[in-house]
Amino acid sequence: MVKQRNDHRVSTWPRRAVAAGLAAVLLLFLVPFLLLDDGEEDEKAQPLPSATLPVIEPPQITPVAGWDAGQTLRLLKSDGTVEEITMADYLWGVVSAEMPASFQLEALKAQAVAARTYCIYQRSASGDKHPGADVCTDYTCCQAYLTKEQAAVGWGEEAGRYGDKITAAVAETDGLLCLYNGAPIDAVFFSSSAGKTSDAVTVWGTDVPYLTSVDSPEGEEVPGWQTRSDFTAADFTARFLEIHPEADFSGPAESWVGGLTTDETGMVTAVTIGGVTVTGIEARSIFGLRSAHFTVEVGEDQVFLWVTGYGHGVGMSQYGANAMASGGKSFQEILEWYYTGAKVSGEL
């Protein structure tokens, strides 16, 4: 993203003071140049930052009051029944399930817009995935969802305060969507990155212009940001052989793993295990890792996988969004940062 600086300190003075005298004329025409010189010196003393976090305040977006309440969804619940609810109630359940309610309000608002956009996109793009329903409550298929009663149990004494925050996050973004070229985007999100998000083409093999790699500011403040998965030699080989029976683990343990390569984000693109080369994404699936950002250490009878971040790494990082909100960024800035080229709007 190219950053531009909005500097309105240099003004254009009117040239109509003909009768005001030479001193006034000189003052009127010299002050702008003095101001311009000051601005140029300031630019030299403070060059534009090269960091990749957004620095421009976006225009204010006005929520579309009543839009969510006017939209109805057929929700397929875990017990197989279908319930018709408003978009407002659905988003309350999704935001409470998908993002910690302790997060900054602007992060929760970003999650509400992402969830609304994802729902609209999936409902139009997935066809008849759920006969008789629009969306489901299975996070592996659509988005996670909690009823207010379920959320209250998890929040305990904070139920009232957290419930009000979720209500505000949904209401204050009423009807707003993330659009790319005027159409709702596939607003995917995940928990935490290893410092950069990943390109969609790297993870899923499909190039999506608004799902490109960007810097993400979360780090060690994230619970479980760096974890270690331990496997006995027998468990490690058994898991891999179940998927790749052609693998050969006959040599010494230190020869089992090699050829680990990563992309610019640190995500593993390829690793050779037992003579079979797989992607980092497949290795993550085989060994149940929190992300595909990992390194491998082979011991005498154990294999250690050191993992950073949690999730597929594409789109909006939830902990990154919270870090940006803590730093003063608005939900609009957060969304337009993580979804490259997208704009937050209430107009389809």
Side-chain angles (χ1 to χ4, degrees):
M1 178 180 292
V2 177
K3 297 181 183 172
Q4 300 175 346
R5 176 172 173 165
N6 292 332
D7 195 334
H8 302 293
R9 293 175 298 168
V10 181
S11 56
T12 302
W13 291 72
R15 304 183 179 219
R16 296 177 296 183
V18 176
L22 180 60
V25 173
L26 289 174
L27 179 63
L28 289 171
F29 285 92
L30 286 177
V31 167
F33 290 100
L34 292 173
L35 288 171
L36 179 59
D37 288 341
D38 178 67
E40 288 178 344
E41 288 301 316
D42 185 60
E43 282 285 68
K44 291 177 182 177
Q46 300 180 15
L48 289 176
S50 58
T52 50
L53 290 179
V55 296
I56 300 174
E57 186 71 24
Q60 184 65 38
I61 299 295
T62 303
V64 185
W67 191 89
D68 287 342
Q71 302 291 314
T72 57
L73 294 169
R74 295 167 300 167
L75 179 65
L76 175 61
K77 299 190 293 186
S78 58
D79 63 2
T81 62
V82 175
E83 178 185 1
E84 188 171 283
I85 63 174
T86 66
M87 176 69 78
D89 288 340
Y90 172 68
L91 290 176
W92 195 99
V94 171
V95 175
S96 64
E98 291 282 9
M99 179 176 275
S102 59
F103 275 17
Q104 297 288 324
L105 180 59
E106 291 301 305
L108 291 166
K109 287 159 74 173
Q111 182 67 64
V113 177
R116 182 184 296 111
T117 307
Y118 185 83
C119 174
I120 296 296
Y121 177 90
Q122 290 295 325
R123 188 170 61 173
S124 62
S126 60
D128 198 21
K129 183 168 64 173
H130 303 299
D134 299 307
V135 292
C136 73
T137 60
D138 181 359
Y139 77 93
T140 64
C141 178
C142 293
Q143 299 182 101
Y145 175 88
L146 290 174
T147 65
K148 291 188 177 182
E149 294 74 21
Q150 290 170 330
V153 170
W155 292 333
E157 294 180 354
E158 296 287 353
R161 184 167 71 90
Y162 285 168
D164 289 344
K165 282 180 70 178
I166 302 298
T167 298
V170 175
E172 292 176 21
T173 63
D174 196 348
L176 296 182
L177 301 167
C178 271
L179 307 179
Y180 186 84
N181 289 339
I185 67 170
D186 189 5
V188 294
F189 50 87
F190 64 100
S191 179
S192 63
S193 77
K196 292 178 77 72
T197 66
S198 296
D199 288 331
V201 67
T202 303
V203 177
W204 296 315
T206 302
D207 188 14
V208 182
Y210 52 80
L211 297 178
T212 60
S213 176
V214 298
D215 285 358
S216 193
E218 70 270 40
E220 294 184 359
E221 80 281 0
V222 178
W225 188 59
Q226 293 181 316
T227 56
R228 191 183 79 181
S229 294
D230 300 355
F231 301 90
T232 64
D235 187 23
F236 181 81
T237 57
R239 284 176 180 242
F240 197 79
L241 286 168
E242 183 178 357
I243 306 300
H244 290 283
E246 72 277 21
D248 180 9
F249 294 100
S250 59
E254 57 267 22
S255 69
W256 291 351
V257 181
L260 189 148
T261 60
T262 64
D263 65 10
E264 62 176 10
T265 74
M267 187 182 80
V268 174
T269 54
V271 60
T272 301
I273 301 174
V276 178
T277 300
V278 298
T279 65
I281 295 167
E282 183 179 0
R284 178 196 177 195
S285 175
I286 291 172
F287 298 109
L289 307 179
R290 288 168 63 87
S291 84
H293 291 75
F294 62 86
T295 58
V296 185
E297 178 185 346
V298 180
E300 191 169 313
D301 191 41
Q302 280 190 305
V303 179
F304 306 102
L305 297 174
W306 301 83
V307 185
T308 303
Y310 187 22
H312 51 65
V314 180
M316 184 181 74
S317 163
Q318 293 171 313
Y319 274 93
N322 194 51
M324 290 181 68
S326 297
K329 299 302 180 185
S330 69
F331 74 93
Q332 183 186 352
E333 289 176 294
I334 293 168
L335 291 163
E336 293 182 1
W337 175 247
Y338 281 110
Y339 302 115
T340 308
K343 298 298 180 184
V344 176
S345 175
E347 299 179 2
L348 280 173

